[in-house]
Amino acid sequence: MRVAEEQHAVLGPLSSGGPAHVLYLAEAMIEAGTVRGIPRDLARELVTQVLTGSAAWLRADSREVATLREKVCAPGGAGIRRIAALDRHAVRAAVVSALGGAPPDLP
């Protein structure tokens, strides 16, 4: 993907740092699986498949990401309750804060 040089500093947290952030989440998901008693290698394979499928879906479907997420979160279901738990822990706010801050060379 080519972007204008003046956009590099703004895009850095999403691009060059992006794999670290996604892998951080993957690591946490794998750990959650092991806490539930799933063998680490199986948890890793499962998380890898989830990330692969999610990335393919995101690439193939131009609808808003929230719309896609809502497609897999049944009202009152386990998925939406887990999202609510992430929201209670301000995970979204933490990600936006970590990645959305002004780059060093901008006010």
Side-chain angles (χ1 to χ4, degrees):
M1 181 174 184
R2 291 186 183 266
V3 297
E5 188 172 340
E6 61 271 7
Q7 292 181 315
H8 286 196
V10 175
L11 297 174
L14 298 179
S15 60
S16 64
H21 311 130
V22 172
L23 293 171
Y24 181 85
L25 179 59
E27 182 182 15
M29 292 171 68
I30 292 165
E31 186 63 25
T34 62
V35 167
R36 293 181 64 91
I38 299 170
R40 186 169 294 279
D41 60 337
L42 178 57
R44 180 181 171 140
E45 180 58 29
L46 187 65
V47 169
T48 300
Q49 290 299 320
V50 166
L51 292 173
T52 301
S54 298
W57 189 21
L58 187 59
R59 180 178 289 277
D61 196 320
S62 63
R63 290 179 289 178
E64 290 293 324
V65 177
T67 300
L68 302 180
R69 181 187 43 78
E70 289 167 2
K71 291 285 186 192
V72 295
C73 287
I80 197 65
R81 289 194 312 268
R82 292 181 187 118
I83 295 295
L86 292 170
D87 285 346
R88 281 192 302 277
H89 289 283
V91 172
R92 181 188 308 260
V95 171
V96 171
S97 176
L99 305 183
D105 59 340
L106 294 178

